[in-house]
Amino acid sequence: VELAPGAWHVPNWLSLDEQRELVVAARSWAAPPAGMRHVVMPSGGVMSVRTVCLGLHWEPYHYSEFLPDGTPVKPFPALLGALARRAVADVYGSVPPDPYDIGLVNHYDAGATMGLHRDADEASPAPVVSLSIGDRCVFRFGNTETRTRPWTDVDLHGGDLIAFGGPSRLAYHGVPRIRPTTGNPATGLAGGRLNITIRASGRRP
Ligand code: MD5
Ligand code: FE
């Protein structure tokens, strides 16, 4: 389903086995050092989502090889590169030249939300690939001009793929609510929603 030019929603794209594999991997990605944590914004506000970065660490509003405490970021897993290439090939029919090298893994508990924002800290125009596991959520897909309406609310389920390329790469988006206890327990995820986004930094290796 094309939500807007370049923005695609593919329900149930991940197999149950792939979701299980990602849940197992996410457990090791979340472990310290350089594990899952709440990001603190420059305003002093604390994000309700917990995040772990792979390949390059995101901190508002730039990427680095190190976390603020000096620990090196975990490596970018080959598994995520392979999934991102398969996703963009399925959706757009070709794979972008810039290699996928950033994994951003978010965990939302029942009350967590993400405000409307743009992902504009990457130098590459390669589409962002987003995979969801666990609880369903309301994903709010806005416009590229303003943080306000018009927007479209999309019900995302565990297993769904969304890809944002072309004119939608810099659209505003957010997650205004999680639908608690709607996930498939067979994935192995104990609770909440796991979202894995895969991006290309556009940095020279
Ligand atoms: C999520 N995560 O569901 C979303 C999925 C984040 C974030 O927003 O920054 O971690 S990624 C959705 C996304 C990425 C790039 C562009 C657009 C949406 N878009 O143009 O709408 O936890
Ligand atoms: Fe985002």
Side-chain angles (χ1 to χ4, degrees):
V1 185
E2 194 171 26
L3 304 172
W8 289 85
H9 176 202
V10 186
N12 207 19
W13 185 80
L14 287 167
S15 70
L16 183 55
D17 278 345
E18 288 169 329
Q19 295 177 60
R20 281 205 188 96
E21 182 180 13
L22 288 168
V23 168
V24 170
R27 221 164 266 138
S28 71
W29 298 334
M36 213 169 226
R37 52 191 269 281
H38 293 277
V39 170
V40 180
M41 301 304 288
S43 61
V46 179
M47 289 183 71
S48 56
V49 171
R50 289 183 308 136
T51 302
V52 59
C53 301
L54 307 165
L56 279 173
H57 176 79
W58 182 83
E59 200 72 29
Y61 287 94
H62 68 278
Y63 284 102
S64 147
E65 272 113 72
F66 299 91
L67 278 70
D69 68 2
T71 53
V73 66
K74 287 185 167 90
F76 178 74
L79 169 65
L80 295 190
L83 283 170
R85 288 190 298 274
R86 198 180 97 215
V88 293
D90 279 5
V91 168
Y92 303 102
S94 65
V95 174
D98 292 333
Y100 283 95
D101 59 354
I102 303 170
L104 227 135
V105 181
N106 295 314
H107 184 272
Y108 295 74
D109 66 18
T113 60
M114 191 177 288
L116 277 189
H117 67 278
R118 297 204 269 197
D119 296 1
D121 299 325
E122 300 82 18
S124 170
V128 173
V129 170
S130 162
L131 306 173
S132 296
I133 300 173
D135 285 345
R136 285 156 44 198
C137 75
V138 178
F139 177 77
R140 183 161 289 172
F141 180 67
N143 59 85
T144 50
E145 314 298 323
T146 70
R147 271 190 87 221
T148 59
R149 286 181 178 81
W151 56 51
T152 307
D153 284 349
V154 182
D155 219 8
L156 285 187
H157 291 59
D160 290 4
L161 158 70
I162 36 175
F164 302 93
S168 292
R169 176 64 184 76
L170 294 177
Y172 282 91
H173 60 277
V175 178
R177 87 190 202 92
I178 298 295
R179 303 193 188 282
T181 70
T182 55
N184 179 359
T187 60
L189 187 66
R193 169 174 185 259
L194 193 64
N195 176 259
I196 302 173
T197 72
I198 312 167
R199 303 138 189 256
S201 68
R203 288 194 184 186
R204 301 271 71 82

